[in-house]
Amino acid sequence: MAPRKPSIPKGTRDFSPSEMARRNYIFDTIRSVFGLFGYRQIETPAMENLSTLMGKYGEEGDKLLFKILNSGDFLRSVDRNLVDAGDYVHLTSQLSEKGLRYDLTVPFARFVVQHRDELQLPFKRFQIQPVWRADRPQKGRYREFYQCDADVVGSNSLMNEVELLQLIDEVFRRLKIRVAIKLNNRKVLAGIAELIGAPDKLIDITVAIDKIDKIGLEKVNEELAERGLSQEAIAALRPILEINGSLQERLAKLETLLSGVEIGRLGVEELRTVVDGTLALGLDAELDLDVSLARGLNYYTGTIIEVKALDVQIGSITGGGRYDNLTGVFGLDGISGVGISFGADRIYDVLNTLELYPEDITVATKVLFINFGAAESAAALKCVKSLRQAGISAEVYPDAAKMKKQMAYADAQKIPYVAIIGETELAENVATLKNMASGEQTKVPFAQLAEHLL
Amino acid sequence: MAPRKPSIPKGTRDFSPSEMARRNYIFDTIRSVFGLFGYRQIETPAMENLSTLMGKYGEEGDKLLFKILNSGDFLRSVDRNLVDAGDYVHLTSQLSEKGLRYDLTVPFARFVVQHRDELQLPFKRFQIQPVWRADRPQKGRYREFYQCDADVVGSNSLMNEVELLQLIDEVFRRLKIRVAIKLNNRKVLAGIAELIGAPDKLIDITVAIDKIDKIGLEKVNEELAERGLSQEAIAALRPILEINGSLQERLAKLETLLSGVEIGRLGVEELRTVVDGTLALGLDAELDLDVSLARGLNYYTGTIIEVKALDVQIGSITGGGRYDNLTGVFGLDGISGVGISFGADRIYDVLNTLELYPEDITVATKVLFINFGAAESAAALKCVKSLRQAGISAEVYPDAAKMKKQMAYADAQKIPYVAIIGETELAENVATLKNMASGEQTKVPFAQLAEHLL
């Protein structure tokens, strides 16, 4: 019996050459924009100590960490009572010391603290690496996926926010994806909670109003009541959620509404600085204010950023914000940071849906030499060598197979030119160069092949 | 009490921006040569099913696999008798279904079988990804390291070997590392074992003679005796190990010695085809024959390739060979392959030792604008935007900090130009551009900055 066809773990993916070409197009675009903006690349290990990861993503996050079984006799230090009690939660820390990284932010915070003596602040870093989450796989959600993060630490200046918005705009301009960038500020949210007399209900309010686009204002109000907000508070919240008009008009209305609340006023001021700075430079993306935007509220302390694609129904494709105490959890206080994370896998889905890839990205080899046997292919190999020296990717079909098979190979790989060196051509030191798109054939002397193909 | 400074698991590494620049130089060089030669990139998941990985790397390899603890209640399906017996080996398969990839070859074999219906053979793939091994960490040996593999499957032609040797030569020519490429052939080794009357001792012979460079011929002979070879066999082996002269002379002598052994003759013929094909095209590297070269013998069936740096004492920096039945273990027989693997981390060590990096690789930002406050930095941001549009990486220092601090930042990042827009410059729409190497200062109108810096 033949063995079962092998497979890969659910929620993970293989990437074929044509998929890789598309993915590299995204990564290369993001990477070069990061570079243009002065961000510098770092990498951290796939595995981190569980002491670094645990407790950073909430109780649910702890469960979603992939944990590495200790090497060797992992049973040695295990408390058998825990086994008998079936207490796998407490047993985990005895069986495993390491886990796979869950995002790039916590490893970055760990990196900053660990290497603080070598780092010059402000430190602008970018990082493009996979992360792993033991989430239930579903459409668009994977257990292994890439994040592309850029963060500045060690600077409180709101110019960093302006720069990051310019960076986002440049990435999506290059990728030709039309987007809306939504802004909010944690201090505005705190101000709203205070204004409506429910400062202790900040989390409840944000969790509820975050759903307003999906479920509408009335359902949000029902949820707020369930979460213990008084009818007075809910009524006071309504005018804020119903603010409308242009971006500048809404900022002005928000400013008026929050004028009596110190923290809220500060939040509006920050928003205005970021908005004005960004508009002064100009941007292709729509810029929008969204007071219902929260995104991992426990984390951000100032600006909150979210990017949505305008032409595809999909969740946010980029997000970020400011966190005043990124490294505090690792014992280094007072380092502020602001950053964004591009969701490469969702961007990949958007580009696939809209078919926005440039035409030539999947071309690897420019010219394939047909193999007619030992003497002819020896000459072909010499041509190929000099073409490569001219920077032209070229190959010889490795076997003297039937012409039809060799041409099918060129077709399947979308190779734009085929070169034929048969007996006649060999005698004349020429190759017959066939343009696969037009069908046009030209005899070209060996020495002029590079020139002809460039 | 301050928390302990965080750390990373032993055997793993963080890479700083300057280290990343050096590593990217290596990866980019290898990646572009792979592309020039018509290899196409794939990626596979970090995690594979343990059924894919186990039993492929020997008993020792099974132990060195990093295994992922099953998610959720991993105790549910555990046999408590195994726990009581302390039988962690058998318990492993109940606690873990997935492991981290150990190399790129087994995942590639799995990929070929899983996607065989979509693949056009011959299939030339490259893959550059990290692998993980629970080895004891030591100098130059890590638990997470990168492999850069290129393989062709589905072609028996020795032209593939010739091409791979050309590819190796091109990579090291570009990296400016002087290397020797050593060749052998598994059939030659089998022929030798047959010639000296010990065909069943093939493994023992190769394990022993592999050490000849380190311990010398006499010690090798002692080990051969310990491994049960007769004195006649050891005496018959001597002339083969003592073959000398030029590459062609040694090939000729080996041919004579093995003329009576069919498999050995075939091996020499293959070697000669590869050597002649390679020399006809020319190469910068030294090409050498080494009958003591074995490298994972159980695996290779034809050509064996190993690359050593000439100017640094370090293990092999690239290796590879032909395997006739790569995918047989996954139920798909008859697919031959030949491939090579560049050891990126050792190449990194060689380049660091010899300081062979180009001078400009660590430069990220080309020009830093000094921040003198709101009005000046707003103008600076506009300049920066147009510089970036011209492809010049530029940034504004985010805070209006002391001049000295801002200049120190430029120094630390090795930024070659600093642009100053103070009150005077702002009034004149010019920036004072300072060349950090020469100290030279020039006043440049905003609109001419890009031109000036290109």
Side-chain angles (χ1 to χ4, degrees):
Chain A
M1 205 184 74
R4 219 169 39 162
K5 207 168 174 178
S7 63
I8 49 178
K10 65 179 176 183
T12 70
R13 291 163 292 172
D14 283 328
F15 296 109
S16 71
S18 58
E19 289 165 331
M20 280 307 297
R22 291 170 165 228
R23 292 175 69 80
N24 284 337
Y25 167 67
I26 298 169
F27 292 128
D28 291 346
T29 301
I30 295 174
R31 191 182 296 115
S32 37
V33 176
F34 282 165
L36 268 187
F37 279 70
Y39 288 82
R40 306 172 77 214
Q41 191 173 14
I42 69 162
E43 280 188 5
T44 62
M47 293 183 278
E48 294 275 354
N49 291 321
L50 279 182
S51 56
T52 299
L53 300 175
M54 295 287 279
K56 309 304 188 299
Y57 308 103
E59 212 174 304
E60 191 58 23
D62 283 352
K63 284 188 205 153
L64 298 183
L65 290 170
F66 280 110
K67 298 165 192 90
I68 312 278
L69 191 61
N70 290 340
S71 297
D73 183 359
F74 51 80
L75 276 178
R76 212 174 24 202
S77 51
V78 155
D79 177 356
R80 302 293 161 100
N81 293 326
L82 291 176
V83 179
D84 294 339
D87 184 354
Y88 71 92
V89 176
H90 287 95
L91 209 53
T92 301
S93 61
Q94 299 184 358
L95 288 170
S96 169
E97 288 171 358
K98 294 183 282 287
L100 296 180
R101 68 172 162 254
Y102 181 88
D103 71 359
L104 301 179
T105 306
V106 167
F108 175 52
R110 191 266 311 144
F111 179 98
V112 169
V113 178
Q114 189 175 333
H115 302 283
R116 60 192 173 206
D117 300 332
E118 307 138 45
L119 291 180
Q120 170 100 12
L121 297 185
F123 179 48
K124 296 167 73 174
R125 87 88 170 77
F126 81 85
Q127 190 169 355
I128 300 179
Q129 290 192 280
V131 302
W132 295 271
R133 297 182 185 179
D135 243 327
R136 192 178 300 274
Q138 58 185 58
K139 191 173 176 329
R141 192 198 282 166
Y142 307 102
R143 291 187 152 189
E144 174 179 60
F145 58 97
Y146 270 80
Q147 291 191 334
C148 310
D149 283 23
D151 292 79
V152 198
V153 289
S155 165
N156 294 311
S157 167
L158 292 169
M159 184 196 286
N160 297 300
E161 273 88 335
V162 172
E163 280 278 86
L164 286 168
L165 295 179
Q166 288 287 319
L167 191 159
I168 290 170
D169 191 53
E170 181 64 16
V171 164
F172 290 111
R173 197 185 63 74
R174 290 186 180 206
L175 293 176
K176 301 184 173 51
I177 299 177
R178 298 195 319 127
V179 298
I181 304 177
K182 294 180 173 190
L183 293 181
N184 198 9
N185 190 298
R186 161 70 182 257
K187 299 187 180 84
V188 166
L189 288 167
I192 291 171
E194 207 176 307
L195 178 72
I196 67 173
D200 56 319
K201 294 278 182 194
L202 179 54
I203 306 270
D204 290 294
I205 295 169
T206 52
V207 167
I209 68 176
D210 199 32
K211 302 175 189 160
I212 197 163
D213 284 349
K214 279 193 195 138
I215 62 176
L217 180 59
E218 296 316 316
K219 291 265 182 217
V220 166
N221 284 345
E222 280 171 30
E223 183 170 334
L224 287 169
E226 278 164 29
R227 286 174 177 269
L229 255 80
S230 69
Q231 285 308 315
E232 293 73 28
I234 292 172
L237 185 59
R238 184 179 281 261
I240 295 170
L241 297 179
E242 289 182 337
I243 282 180
N244 57 21
S246 71
L247 174 57
Q248 295 291 4
E249 284 164 6
R250 279 179 294 153
L251 260 178
K253 286 180 189 171
L254 195 60
E255 194 164 31
T256 310
L257 283 165
L258 291 173
S259 60
V261 186
E262 174 66 21
I263 183 124
R265 237 183 27 229
L266 190 58
V268 176
E269 196 181 308
E270 287 187 10
L271 272 174
R272 193 182 285 285
T273 304
V274 173
V275 166
D276 288 351
T278 302
L279 294 179
L281 292 167
L283 79 172
D284 283 17
E286 281 181 19
L287 193 63
D288 205 358
L289 173 67
D290 182 354
V291 293
S292 71
L293 182 65
R295 288 189 72 82
L297 178 84
N298 297 315
Y299 196 72
Y300 295 124
T301 50
T303 306
I304 304 171
I305 303 167
E306 186 169 272
V307 181
K308 300 276 256 181
L310 291 177
D311 301 315
V312 178
Q313 284 286 345
I314 198 166
S316 76
I317 55 179
T318 293
R322 180 173 285 276
Y323 31 85
D324 276 342
N325 196 8
L326 174 68
T327 55
V329 70
F330 296 116
L332 184 61
D333 282 316
I335 296 203
S336 174
V338 57
I340 52 169
S341 180
F342 288 91
D345 290 276
R346 282 200 180 156
I347 293 172
Y348 178 68
D349 289 344
V350 170
L351 287 175
N352 283 335
T353 305
L354 302 176
E355 294 189 21
L356 288 177
Y357 294 99
E359 262 189 22
D360 56 352
I361 59 163
T362 55
V363 173
T365 294
K366 185 147 189 187
V367 54
L368 173 77
F369 284 74
I370 301 295
N371 188 331
F372 288 102
E376 291 86 352
S377 64
L381 279 174
K382 282 185 187 163
C383 292
V384 157
K385 180 159 186 165
S386 64
L387 287 176
R388 288 172 184 157
Q389 275 161 359
I392 297 165
S393 72
E395 56 182 309
V396 185
Y397 194 88
D399 304 277
K402 287 196 177 127
M403 181 76 167
K404 194 177 158 187
K405 191 174 175 193
Q406 299 190 45
M407 293 302 277
Y409 176 87
D411 263 339
Q413 322 274 328
K414 299 197 174 65
I415 296 174
Y417 291 92
V418 162
I420 293 164
I421 304 178
E423 212 177 326
T424 333
E425 282 93 349
L426 187 57
E428 298 172 22
N429 284 320
V430 298
T432 301
L433 201 60
K434 179 174 177 177
N435 181 320
M436 294 291 277
S438 66
E440 192 194 341
Q441 299 201 15
T442 327
K443 284 201 171 183
V444 183
F446 289 165
Q448 290 167 29
L449 277 167
E451 193 188 331
H452 204 91
L453 286 163
L454 276 172
Chain B
M1 204 184 76
R4 221 170 35 166
K5 209 168 173 178
S7 63
I8 49 178
K10 63 178 178 183
T12 69
R13 291 164 291 171
D14 283 329
F15 295 109
S16 70
S18 59
E19 288 166 332
M20 281 307 299
R22 291 171 164 226
R23 293 175 69 80
N24 283 338
Y25 166 68
I26 297 169
F27 293 129
D28 291 346
T29 301
I30 294 174
R31 190 182 297 117
S32 39
V33 175
F34 282 164
L36 269 186
F37 279 70
Y39 288 82
R40 305 171 80 215
Q41 189 172 15
I42 69 163
E43 282 189 2
T44 61
M47 293 184 278
E48 293 274 354
N49 291 321
L50 279 182
S51 56
T52 299
L53 300 175
M54 293 287 280
K56 309 304 188 299
Y57 307 104
E59 211 173 305
E60 191 58 23
D62 284 351
K63 285 188 204 153
L64 298 184
L65 291 170
F66 279 110
K67 297 164 192 90
I68 311 277
L69 191 61
N70 290 340
S71 296
D73 183 0
F74 52 80
L75 275 179
R76 212 174 27 208
S77 51
V78 155
D79 177 354
R80 303 293 161 100
N81 293 325
L82 290 176
V83 178
D84 293 338
D87 185 352
Y88 70 93
V89 176
H90 287 95
L91 208 53
T92 301
S93 61
Q94 299 185 358
L95 288 172
S96 169
E97 287 172 358
K98 294 184 282 289
L100 297 181
R101 69 175 161 254
Y102 182 89
D103 71 0
L104 302 179
T105 307
V106 166
F108 175 51
R110 191 266 311 144
F111 180 99
V112 169
V113 177
Q114 188 175 332
H115 302 283
R116 60 194 174 208
D117 300 332
E118 308 137 44
L119 291 180
Q120 169 98 11
L121 297 184
F123 179 48
K124 296 166 73 173
R125 88 85 170 78
F126 80 86
Q127 191 169 356
I128 299 180
Q129 289 191 281
V131 301
W132 295 271
R133 296 182 185 179
D135 242 328
R136 190 178 301 273
Q138 56 185 62
K139 194 179 174 327
R141 193 198 281 164
Y142 305 102
R143 292 186 152 190
E144 173 178 63
F145 59 97
Y146 269 81
Q147 291 192 333
C148 310
D149 283 23
D151 292 79
V152 198
V153 290
S155 166
N156 294 312
S157 167
L158 293 169
M159 183 195 286
N160 296 301
E161 273 88 335
V162 172
E163 280 276 87
L164 285 170
L165 295 179
Q166 289 286 320
L167 190 160
I168 290 170
D169 192 52
E170 181 64 16
V171 165
F172 290 111
R173 197 183 64 72
R174 290 184 180 209
L175 293 176
K176 300 186 174 50
I177 299 177
R178 298 194 320 126
V179 297
I181 304 177
K182 295 179 171 191
L183 293 180
N184 197 10
N185 191 298
R186 160 71 181 257
K187 299 187 180 83
V188 166
L189 288 167
I192 291 171
E194 207 176 308
L195 178 72
I196 67 174
D200 56 321
K201 294 279 182 195
L202 179 54
I203 305 272
D204 289 295
I205 295 169
T206 51
V207 168
I209 68 177
D210 200 30
K211 303 176 189 159
I212 197 163
D213 284 347
K214 278 194 197 140
I215 61 175
L217 181 58
E218 296 316 317
K219 292 266 182 214
V220 165
N221 285 345
E222 279 171 32
E223 182 169 335
L224 287 168
E226 276 164 30
R227 286 174 176 272
L229 255 82
S230 69
Q231 285 307 316
E232 293 74 27
I234 292 172
L237 185 60
R238 183 179 281 260
I240 295 169
L241 297 181
E242 289 182 339
I243 282 179
N244 57 21
S246 72
L247 173 59
Q248 295 291 2
E249 283 165 5
R250 278 178 296 153
L251 260 180
K253 285 179 189 171
L254 194 61
E255 192 163 35
T256 311
L257 283 164
L258 290 173
S259 60
V261 186
E262 175 65 21
I263 182 118
R265 238 183 25 230
L266 190 58
V268 176
E269 197 180 307
E270 289 186 9
L271 272 175
R272 194 182 284 284
T273 304
V274 173
V275 165
D276 289 352
T278 302
L279 295 179
L281 292 168
L283 77 172
D284 283 17
E286 280 180 18
L287 193 63
D288 204 357
L289 173 68
D290 181 355
V291 293
S292 72
L293 182 65
R295 287 190 73 83
L297 180 84
N298 299 315
Y299 196 72
Y300 295 126
T301 51
T303 306
I304 303 171
I305 302 167
E306 186 168 274
V307 182
K308 300 276 255 182
L310 291 178
D311 301 315
V312 178
Q313 285 287 345
I314 198 167
S316 76
I317 54 177
T318 292
R322 182 173 283 278
Y323 32 84
D324 277 342
N325 195 8
L326 173 68
T327 56
V329 71
F330 296 116
L332 183 61
D333 281 317
I335 296 203
S336 174
V338 57
I340 53 170
S341 181
F342 288 91
D345 289 276
R346 281 199 180 157
I347 292 171
Y348 178 67
D349 289 344
V350 170
L351 287 175
N352 282 336
T353 306
L354 301 177
E355 294 187 21
L356 289 177
Y357 294 100
E359 261 188 24
D360 56 351
I361 57 163
T362 53
V363 174
T365 294
K366 188 148 186 188
V367 54
L368 173 77
F369 284 73
I370 301 296
N371 187 330
F372 288 101
E376 292 87 351
S377 64
L381 278 174
K382 282 188 188 162
C383 292
V384 156
K385 180 159 186 165
S386 65
L387 287 177
R388 288 171 184 157
Q389 274 161 359
I392 297 166
S393 71
E395 56 183 308
V396 185
Y397 195 88
D399 303 276
K402 287 200 179 122
M403 181 77 167
K404 195 178 158 187
K405 192 175 175 193
Q406 300 191 43
M407 294 301 279
Y409 177 87
D411 262 339
Q413 322 272 330
K414 299 195 176 67
I415 297 175
Y417 291 93
V418 162
I420 293 165
I421 304 178
E423 211 178 327
T424 333
E425 283 93 349
L426 187 58
E428 299 172 22
N429 283 321
V430 298
T432 301
L433 201 61
K434 179 176 178 177
N435 181 322
M436 294 291 276
S438 68
E440 194 193 339
Q441 300 202 13
T442 327
K443 285 203 170 183
V444 183
F446 290 166
Q448 289 168 31
L449 277 167
E451 192 188 331
H452 204 90
L453 285 163
L454 277 173

